[in-house]
Amino acid sequence: MSEEDPTRRTVIKVGAAVAAVATAAPALPDVAEAKAAVTDTARISLKVNGVTHRQELEARVTLLDALRERIGLTGTKKGCDRGECGACTVLVDGRRIKSCLTLAVMQQGREITTVEGLARGDALHPVQAAFIRNDGFQCGFCTPGQLMSAVACVHEGHTGSDDEIREWMSGNLCRCGCYPNIVASVRQAAKEMS
Amino acid sequence: MDAFAYTRADQPERAVRLAADPRARYIAGGTDLLNLMKDGVQRHDHLIDISALPLADVRESGGRIRLGALSRMSDVAVHQAVRRRLPVLSQALLAGASPQVRNMASLGGNLLQRTRCWYFRDPTMPCNRREPGSGCPALDGLNRWHAIVGGSDHCIAVHPSDLAVALTALDATVRTLSAEGPREIPMAGFYLPPGDTPHLETALRQGELITGIDVPVTELAAGSTYLKVRDRATFEFAVVSVAALVRLRGEEVREARLAFGGIAPRPWRSEAAEQALIGRPLNAATIEAAGAALVRDARPRAHNAFKVPLVQRALSDILGQFGRNR
Ligand SMILES: Cc1cc2nc3c(=O)[nH]c(=O)nc-3n(C[C@H](O)[C@H](O)[C@H](O)COP(=O)(O)OP(=O)(O)OC[C@H]3O[C@@H](n4cnc5c(N)ncnc54)[C@H](O)[C@@H]3O)c2cc1C
Ligand code: SF4
Ligand code: FES
Ligand code: FES
């Protein structure tokens, strides 16, 4: 039987190799067995803030849960777990995404940046400094997501006006209603980073 | 979310072979599928990751713009050729979801996202679309979001995609690959009417992979625009939306193509409204006639009758823009 034969369910196992998953798994006659294989043995490696983390985890673990529960980077927050609040925003290869809506296993080989990766030692990222100076938060729960989104928003060049900032920050909700100060923070950060 | 096996596919042919098993499902951006699986609306034993397939390009060739199925909403929206030649497509994409979701979500996945009907998304409720024959609580329940045209006594859900509305107005074609080989499906036949089988949503067969979308480049398409009416300013699904392609000569409407979102179980093309415009001057009386033609067969429910005037006003607003830009 060729490796391509679907009845052999070739690739069920998540390989340790970055690129793919096509480890030479034993023939898996049915899905129940396939499941067991993946739940027991998935080994993945994630590069977060420049550090490679090797983890054993199930395919169903989201990037958000892998970051928080496995790697221990709890700066990234879980608000809704449904893509609606933006608290879980991280950068993947420089682009902002919602980490609750992707699987950790899908993000192998990419550069993931979380809020912990913004500061350089004691020197805050200009976006972080701008949020402090402008009082861009109250309880702070949404803030890591706001910061990651703001970094991307500035790099994307979506800071031409307050309206543009509001539109392009709209994927991040703030229950404390700090929106005016968040807009001011992004405006100031954009000026300083230009 | 229940456990599942995972495979990353590197070639479309291989993805299709793996998806021949009905227990398997593709995952692209994951932005709808994972929500449905977390909520227990769908269960799949095997996810085939197609996000790395080499189908993410946007090209112009032979009078068409060819969009790869795995291209991301955000990339397509800002593509120069799309902005210039298909403004309605760029606008509809930018009006959808949030910047983060648009960076993840693929065009193919967008077309196949499932309805936001709250009964459908709640597995503790009956729903004909989720569990055939279990009933439709929306008919006599909370149906503010639901369809005013094109529904049936079995389902009145609305299709949530902005992209699909734009592509319907643009007369696009969906390209696919299955075990039987490649084929093309026009947007007009891609979504099935709910009838008494609302669980059958598209013309796709088991395991059929969307490989791309072809959009004809025309003079009509260059003058196109999208209007989306929402409950809040942004980051929300449409209450109603309109994709309009209109070509004028002087005051007279030479060509028109109109598709609507938020009012029907699939993107709703209204040839009746188009016919009310073509060959006539674009003035208040014609616009009113087009609106009346659009909702002639409307069947509103207890909580969504407001959509009947709202969609007419949205049409009037967008047509007025063409008048002003002339
Ligand atoms: C908070 C939020 C707000 C949103 N707001 C909007 C909005 O305003 N307007 C709007 O239009 N959308 C909106 N969306 C929906 C979003 O656009 C879709 O979730 C997204 O486009 C799906 O794409 P995906 O690549 O993530 O698909 P996935 O979630 O990966 O897949 C969805 C489905 O499509 C199938 N599939 C994917 N690609 C293919 C393919 N190439 N061939 C065959 N099958 C395939 C999968 O098997 C799955 O069944 C919103 C989503 C969220 C989470
Ligand atoms: S409207 Fe359709 S999707 Fe909603 S509950 Fe009724 S059958 Fe289900
Ligand atoms: S936790 Fe991801 S968007 Fe809310
Ligand atoms: S600061 Fe409290 S939710 Fe935003």
Side-chain angles (χ1 to χ4, degrees), chain B residues 288-313:
Chain B
E288 198 184 318
L294 166 65
V295 299
R296 191 168 299 132
D297 298 324
R299 191 169 161 210
R301 310 276 162 169
H303 304 291
N304 66 4
F306 74 99
K307 285 190 181 181
V308 177
L310 184 62
V311 72
Q312 293 179 82
R313 284 183 202 143

Side-chain angles (χ1 to χ4, degrees), chain A residues 21-192:
Chain A
V21 227
T23 53
L28 295 170
D30 68 19
V31 171
E33 203 174 319
K35 248 188 204 175
V38 80
T39 45
D40 290 339
T41 60
R43 283 192 71 90
I44 71 161
S45 93
L46 289 176
K47 194 167 176 199
V48 187
N49 304 328
V51 179
T52 299
H53 300 264
R54 292 205 168 68
Q55 291 288 327
E56 294 236 355
L57 41 79
E58 298 176 71
R60 64 176 158 174
V61 175
T62 61
L63 177 60
L64 174 60
D65 285 342
L67 290 171
R68 289 181 55 84
E69 313 292 332
R70 302 304 187 93
I71 298 175
L73 291 171
T74 53
T76 308
K77 298 293 183 245
K78 183 187 280 191
C80 62
D81 207 25
R82 295 293 183 280
E84 289 163 8
C85 74
C88 67
T89 303
V90 300
L91 306 184
V92 170
D93 290 341
R95 285 162 61 116
R96 47 176 158 164
I97 67 156
K98 295 190 171 171
S99 61
C100 68
L101 289 186
T102 188
L103 301 172
V105 64
M106 296 173 75
Q107 300 303 332
Q108 297 190 86
R110 309 250 171 79
E111 298 272 349
I112 298 156
T113 310
T114 68
V115 69
E116 290 92 344
L118 286 185
R120 292 281 160 267
D122 284 343
L124 292 181
H125 188 283
V127 169
Q128 291 174 308
F131 267 71
I132 292 174
R133 229 169 304 134
N134 291 280
D135 234 349
F137 53 90
Q138 229 178 86
C139 78
F141 190 83
C142 72
T143 312
Q146 302 281 1
L147 291 170
M148 300 316 289
S149 222
V151 168
C153 184
V154 172
H155 284 303
E156 292 161 8
H158 289 129
T159 55
S161 67
D162 285 2
D163 276 350
E164 190 180 7
I165 293 172
R166 272 191 283 273
E167 170 63 30
W168 287 88
M169 289 297 292
S170 65
N172 294 79
L173 306 189
C174 174
R175 275 306 198 204
C176 299
C178 298
Y179 297 110
N181 292 359
I182 291 171
V183 171
S185 306
V186 176
R187 193 198 307 129
Q188 185 178 57
K191 209 175 290 163
E192 285 173 7

Side-chain angles (χ1 to χ4, degrees), chain B residues 248-269:
Chain B
L248 297 172
R249 186 190 293 152
E251 288 233 311
E252 189 193 313
V253 178
R254 301 296 300 176
E255 274 184 281
R257 234 169 17 230
L258 302 171
F260 299 83
I263 61 168
R266 41 183 189 156
W268 191 254
R269 170 114 183 253

